[in-house]
């Protein structure tokens, strides 16, 4: 196998090489030899009996379309692939054009009228006017969530309140005694 891979590398006329179907062990050996030699290798085929290996020189690595063709069991034909690609592009352009023309058309019915028996006609408007945020959402009061102060500002304010409370407590004790 190493000799065959070496001959493949030396032959500048070959870009890829397809091997006959082989067993799992032979395929793994061939993959290892190809990896050491700096080649790209892929296995194709359905079941164990028809599974084969293809080697590609790095500079001629297969495209995704080419790999997909081999996986489907087809032979790779660059002209056919180019033709398919053009057809896909054309279909995509036509699809885009048709979707743009559809967007400009107005809907033929209003969904509110169609589903008024389910959603009603005035309940949502009445509910929207009375909507008010919950006082507490989760564990944190809503008012605290609207607080835009930095942590330092909040901590300084808390300390100032504690100091004020201590002064008020000590002042109240001394005047009453």
């Amino acid at each position: 196998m190493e000799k065959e891979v070496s001959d493949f590398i030396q032959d500048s006329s070959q870009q890829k090489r397809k091997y006959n179907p082989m067993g799992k062990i032979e395929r793994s050996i061939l993959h290892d030899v190809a990896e050491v030699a700096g080649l790209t290798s892929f296995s194709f085929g359905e079941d164990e009996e028809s599974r084969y290996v293809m080697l590609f020189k790095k500079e001629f690595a297969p495209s995704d379309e080419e790999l997909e063709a081999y996986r489907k069991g087809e032979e790779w034909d660059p002209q056919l692939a180019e033709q398919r690609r053009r057809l896909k592009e054309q279909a995509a352009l036509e699809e885009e054009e048709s979707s743009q023309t559809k967007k400009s058309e107005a809907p033929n019915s209003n969904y509110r009228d169609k589903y008024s028996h389910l959603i009603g006609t005035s309940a949502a408007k009445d509910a929207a006017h009375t909507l008010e945020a919950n006082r507490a959402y989760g564990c944190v009061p809503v008012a605290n969530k609207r607080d835009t102060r930095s942590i330092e500002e909040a901590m300084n304010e808390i300390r100032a309140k504690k100091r004020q409370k201590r002064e008020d407590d000590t002042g109240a004790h001394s005047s009453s005694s």
Side-chain angles (χ1 to χ4, degrees):
M1 276 191 194
E2 287 177 353
K3 171 131 179 52
E4 286 181 29
V5 170
S6 177
D7 292 343
F8 169 62
I9 293 170
Q10 305 298 317
D11 187 356
S12 59
S13 66
Q14 284 187 310
Q15 297 176 2
K16 61 186 175 194
R17 180 162 193 183
K18 179 179 176 178
Y19 284 84
N20 291 328
M22 56 181 81
K24 189 174 189 174
I25 295 168
E26 289 102 346
R27 286 196 315 271
S28 66
I29 292 169
L30 186 53
H31 283 298
D32 291 342
V33 170
E35 187 178 326
V36 169
L39 300 172
T40 306
S41 63
F42 293 96
S43 291
F44 302 105
E46 295 302 313
D47 52 14
E48 278 305 310
E49 291 83 43
S50 67
R51 200 128 170 96
Y52 65 93
V53 174
M54 279 190 82
L55 299 182
F56 298 89
K57 291 182 178 172
K58 288 279 188 195
E59 58 271 16
F60 302 110
S63 65
D64 291 339
E65 291 92 8
E66 186 175 354
L67 288 175
E68 194 59 36
Y70 290 132
R71 286 191 186 110
K72 290 178 183 174
E74 302 169 357
E75 279 300 314
W76 171 247
D77 182 7
Q79 285 82 22
L80 185 65
E82 182 64 27
Q83 207 173 11
R84 283 182 186 163
R85 192 183 59 75
R86 282 198 204 113
L87 285 172
K88 280 183 184 176
E89 284 178 3
Q90 190 176 357
L93 285 172
E94 289 171 2
E95 180 69 31
E96 190 176 308
E97 288 172 5
S98 68
S99 67
Q100 286 176 352
T101 58
K102 285 179 186 174
K103 287 178 188 174
S104 63
E105 297 172 4
N108 55 5
S109 68
N110 187 344
Y111 81 95
R112 287 189 199 97
D113 297 339
K114 186 175 180 181
Y115 295 110
S116 63
H117 65 284
L118 295 174
I119 58 176
T121 54
S122 62
K125 289 179 183 174
D126 296 340
H129 292 293
T130 60
L131 185 64
E132 188 177 309
N134 293 343
R135 295 269 176 246
Y137 186 77
C139 298
V140 180
V142 172
N144 290 2
K145 290 184 178 186
R146 294 193 183 111
D147 193 359
T148 58
R149 300 175 296 175
S150 70
I151 293 174
E152 289 82 13
E153 291 170 335
M155 293 299 287
N156 288 340
E157 210 171 287
I158 291 169
R159 288 188 194 110
K161 283 182 184 174
K162 283 184 180 177
R163 245 185 261 118
Q164 185 68 38
K165 189 176 179 183
R166 268 192 241 123
E167 289 173 7
D168 289 348
D169 288 347
T170 56
H173 289 299
S174 60
S175 63
S176 64
S177 44

